Amino acid sequence: MKQFLTTMAGVFAGLTLFLVGVPFLLIVIAAGATRPAPVPGEVVLQLDLRSPLTDQDAQNPFAAFSGGSTSVMSVIEALHRAESDRRVKGLLIRLPEVGMEPGAADEIRLALRRFEAAGKPVIAHSQGLYQSGVVTSTYMVGAAAGEFWMQPGSALQATGLAVEDIFFKRFFDEYRIEPDFEQRKEFKNAVNGYLHSDYTAAHRTAQLSWMNSVYASGLNLAASDREMDPAVLRARLEAGPYSAAQALELKLIDKLGHLHEAKQTLLTAAGDDARLLDLSAYARSIGSLERSGPTIALIEAEGPITTGQNGLSNPLAPSTMIFSDDVAEALYEAAEDDDIKAIVLRVNSPGGSDTASEQILAAVRAAKAADKPVVVSMGTYGASGGYWIASEASAIVAQPTTLTGSIGVYGGKLALGPALAEFGVDMRELGVGGDFAGVYGTGGSFTPAQAAAFSSMMDNVYQEFIIRVARGRNLTPQRVDEIARGRVWTGAQAKSLGLVDEVGGFYQAVDKAKALAGLEGEVRLRRMTPHATPLQALERALGMGSVSVKTLAAAAWVLGDPRAQGMLDTLAAERLRAQHSAAVLAPTPVR
């Protein structure tokens, strides 16, 4: 008995330490991490693009403890401030060895061009570019720098763009798995891998269309920045791969040199007392966004779109979901604030739930009704549900390589019953009420009545999407249907079709918002993106509704158990999969 009580006392003490001590420690660390440090005199900024790159900062205060990432928004904001900061004398960029998301590369390229236009030198250093995904986008960022260096002995393999898709039909046929899906329409290819063993004609056409547009855009911008004929640059790159020495000889880069030499070159030009400073440290020292003039709200949304609030995802990891309650509330708050004159909604999403997308769109309408122009700035993608929430904005600004459109819908299920029966596992279902009550059961395919009802539902969602786009873009429903049907367009293509208003980056969207609101001169950008405080994050982590799972899983995560991380990520994913009505989701772009 004594031993039992001693053991229980130890368990209680351990849980108390975790539930009280760990949260307290994390809050203290998080608070300390946000305290800005002064810029140490004259500096050369250093930006390492080899770390994970998201479009926006994480929406919880403990993201750094999961390894962290660099956000495109934080990079361009810091460089924008550095343009006019006399202490900043130059910039060193370390390029990744693989491809970057095209929209992210476009945004960073624009920031580099503005930085150099302010008279500040930029060196991009590469330890090799290797053929993988959209490596041309990485080359484009390097080409935007005043000097493009490569390490001696490295390789330049930017010869093109390729994607690879997996098709499961023959596997499903072999094991009697029955995919039962509806698509609206032929170009909505998110589930083609379940239904076919190769690209359909529509799938192939749509895929090659956006790939050619993304590839050509990157090449043309790189050629412009390097003052080369686009046809010449394309021919030289596609004839590769090359060693770094060969790339220099062909004028594809500017200089061979090691990283230390590139650093010393910039520091020497900056002055004897200049120091290297990481761009993230500089960003913390200057705070966030502009601080004077009329106010424009900035609301950010990144990831698949789902209903509800940000409460199911791992509170110790970056949020990768758009929760409709949170974003809609931020839009309503901005609409009701008399100091807010316009709103910029930054969207980086492949889509998600149609009902969640409609909730956010309703808030966009409310902001416009309150005489607050809403300008959408699209990142790497603003497709399907991501386009739904943008469709009735006052204006849409997209990068030339943004993947957008995908105006369509799909839904369905995988019937696993026949496959499991082969292994002696029988699925049985009981139900009361209408035939549709068991429509999502995985024991078998849709009945004829269920299939007809489900098909009608898909038609309704598609038509509702068409109506919103037609209303928002001042097009007829017939014209929208012609350019929709599930097609994915790039921003450059979408501009010519009337689906976006301007091709450009975040600060072009800010300028558009200023113009629509009748503002001149400097403006203050107030970030109103939903973010959890340290206490809110912990309340969600240890909430009454899921205390046992989340407490133990978070404890295991802190102790380094990868299974717990997987469990928490699965909880977030299941939230989206549980919405059976319809999915307006586009394929995630390649890197």
Side-chain angles (χ1 to χ4, degrees), residues 26-97:
L26 293 179
I27 291 171
V28 170
I29 294 175
T34 60
R35 188 178 299 118
V39 176
E42 295 180 339
V43 296
V44 170
L45 300 177
Q46 179 173 248
L47 170 61
D48 192 341
L49 293 175
R50 299 173 304 161
S51 60
L53 192 64
T54 60
D55 186 71
Q56 301 156 25
D57 288 338
Q59 295 179 14
N60 72 72
F62 299 135
F65 299 104
S66 65
S69 61
T70 302
S71 77
V72 172
M73 289 296 290
S74 67
V75 167
I76 65 172
E77 287 171 24
L79 289 178
H80 184 67
R81 300 286 290 278
E83 292 170 21
S84 57
D85 191 335
R86 289 179 294 179
R87 300 168 298 176
V88 177
K89 302 299 182 181
L91 174 66
L92 173 68
I93 302 172
R94 300 195 65 181
L95 296 174
E97 297 175 14

Side-chain angles (χ1 to χ4, degrees), residues 5 111 124 152 156 287 314 351 366 372 503 523:
L5 292 175
L156 175 59
N314 181 358
K372 308 289 175 73
V503 172
V523 295

Side-chain angles (χ1 to χ4, degrees), residues 184 352-355 388 407-410 454-468 581-584:
R184 297 293 182 277
S353 161
D354 61 316
T355 53
W388 186 308
I407 301 166
V409 61
Y410 72 89
F454 193 82
S455 180
S456 177
M457 185 178 71
M458 291 294 101
D459 287 336
N460 289 338
V461 174
Y462 181 67
Q463 288 305 316
E464 290 295 322
F465 203 165
I466 293 291
I467 289 169
R468 280 148 184 76
S581 59
V584 279

Side-chain angles (χ1 to χ4, degrees), residues 125-190:
H125 187 273
S126 171
Q127 292 180 281
L129 292 179
Y130 299 97
Q131 190 61 51
S132 60
V134 196
V135 72
T136 309
S137 296
T138 307
Y139 178 81
M140 179 191 70
V141 173
E147 292 186 11
F148 190 172
W149 290 38
M150 289 195 78
Q151 180 173 301
S154 60
L156 175 59
Q157 300 178 0
T159 60
L161 189 163
V163 299
E164 191 172 50
D165 294 295
I166 299 177
F167 295 88
F168 291 95
K169 185 178 187 303
R170 291 196 304 115
F171 173 82
F172 286 171
D173 289 346
E174 177 73 18
Y175 291 95
R176 299 185 62 195
I177 298 172
E178 299 174 4
D180 217 341
F181 288 93
E182 293 270 351
Q183 299 162 282
R184 297 293 182 277
K185 296 211 178 169
E186 68 270 24
F187 295 99
K188 194 69 176 180
N189 51 50

